Amino acid sequence: KNEVEQSPQNLTAQEGEFITINCSYSVGISALHWLQQHPGGGIVSLFMLSSGKKKHGRLIATINIQEKHSSLHITASHPRDSAVYICAVSYSGGGADGLTFGKGTHLIIQP
Amino acid sequence: DAMVIQNPRYQVTQFGKPVTLSCSQTLNHNVMYWYQQKSSQAPKLLFHYYDKDFNNEADTPDNFQSRRPNTSFCFLDIRSPGLGDAAMYLCATSRARGLLYEQYFGPGTRLTVT
């Protein structure tokens, strides 16, 4: 079964730093999702990508289909960005069949 | 605001005592999912409904059942909870955006089994 690998598992950085979280997968997908989960909270979808690059505010997500790799970048990081960031993929049906999740990256931004 | 609602947020049940978790949505999405997330682990898909069509993951225990009486509601029934079933249960919905399905998650129900 396809695995979704994320790195790093834990990341602590200072406010203002540029953050990169990586995700790799082993077989073809229909889409890759970046999700955010706050402690004790639900999950929020940040991006859904099938190719290229997307930007929303200080967040940027890229995907390289040939290399089966995606990155999530946070520019000018802020303590409120502290959360678990999860990479997930969907296979058939464009994602209607649900997601396969990576283990997440626990990000802490210190003031 | 349109959203995915889960009740209760916290549920305590006894070993072996049936429990039902509920999920409702005001998004009118045709697909609904149940995920199980154990402590420090990634969420794992249990099953999903595409409209009324039920799809069970191969490794979902028989102890877990689901019902979707209408578009808005979906229930997760655990017939005889064991200690290993303690987890966060996440409900999600999705609809097609072009060829892809974007997922919307509820806040989760944290289940404790005593």
Side-chain angles (χ1 to χ4, degrees):
Chain A
K1 190 171 182 177
N2 185 39
E3 291 193 355
V4 180
E5 301 287 341
Q6 281 187 242
S7 63
Q9 290 188 18
N10 297 283
L11 178 58
T12 299
Q14 296 297 312
E15 182 174 358
E17 287 189 36
F18 181 80
I19 304 299
T20 296
I21 300 170
N22 295 300
C23 176
S24 61
Y25 52 93
S26 55
V27 300
I29 61 173
S30 59
L32 185 140
H33 304 246
W34 281 104
L35 309 157
Q36 181 191 58
Q37 185 173 32
H38 284 279
I43 295 174
V44 175
S45 177
L46 299 174
F47 295 103
M48 183 171 64
L49 295 163
S50 58
S51 64
K53 175 181 176 179
K54 287 191 176 181
K55 183 176 188 292
H56 180 70
R58 296 179 294 105
L59 301 177
I60 303 166
T62 64
I63 188 169
N64 185 316
I65 297 296
Q66 287 72 33
E67 295 185 3
K68 295 184 174 61
H69 180 270
S70 175
S71 293
L72 176 68
H73 305 286
I74 305 175
T75 61
S77 59
H78 190 276
R80 64 174 175 266
D81 297 326
S82 299
V84 176
Y85 292 84
I86 304 172
C87 171
V89 300
S90 52
Y91 300 113
S92 60
D97 295 341
L99 301 180
T100 298
F101 291 77
K103 292 184 178 180
T105 295
H106 189 194
L107 174 65
I108 297 173
I109 304 296
Q110 295 178 335
Chain B
D1 288 340
M3 57 175 56
V4 182
I5 302 161
Q6 290 188 245
N7 286 305
R9 293 292 308 277
Y10 300 90
Q11 176 73 57
V12 180
T13 191
Q14 293 178 337
F15 183 95
K17 184 175 181 180
V19 65
T20 295
L21 310 182
S22 72
C23 177
S24 64
Q25 53 132 339
T26 59
L27 299 162
N28 202 34
H29 288 173
N30 61 328
V31 193
M32 294 187 76
Y33 310 83
W34 280 105
Y35 293 92
Q36 179 193 60
Q37 185 177 24
K38 294 187 177 181
S39 181
S40 302
Q41 295 184 22
K44 179 177 174 299
L45 181 65
L46 295 173
F47 23 60
H48 75 279
Y49 280 91
Y50 192 104
D51 294 319
K52 294 183 178 180
D53 293 334
F54 177 70
N55 298 272
N56 195 34
E57 292 299 297
D59 54 357
T60 297
D62 292 339
N63 199 25
F64 290 81
Q65 305 284 321
S66 184
R67 297 170 282 136
R68 189 180 186 187
N70 53 53
T71 300
S72 300
F73 285 87
C74 194
F75 300 97
L76 170 61
D77 301 308
I78 308 176
R79 292 190 295 185
S80 182
L83 297 179
D85 296 326
M88 175 76 85
Y89 289 88
L90 297 164
C91 174
T93 71
S94 74
R95 65 176 174 93
R97 285 181 62 185
L99 297 176
L100 302 179
Y101 282 76
E102 183 176 16
Q103 301 225 340
Y104 295 75
F105 288 84
T109 294
R110 184 167 296 283
L111 178 68
T112 300
V113 182
T114 61

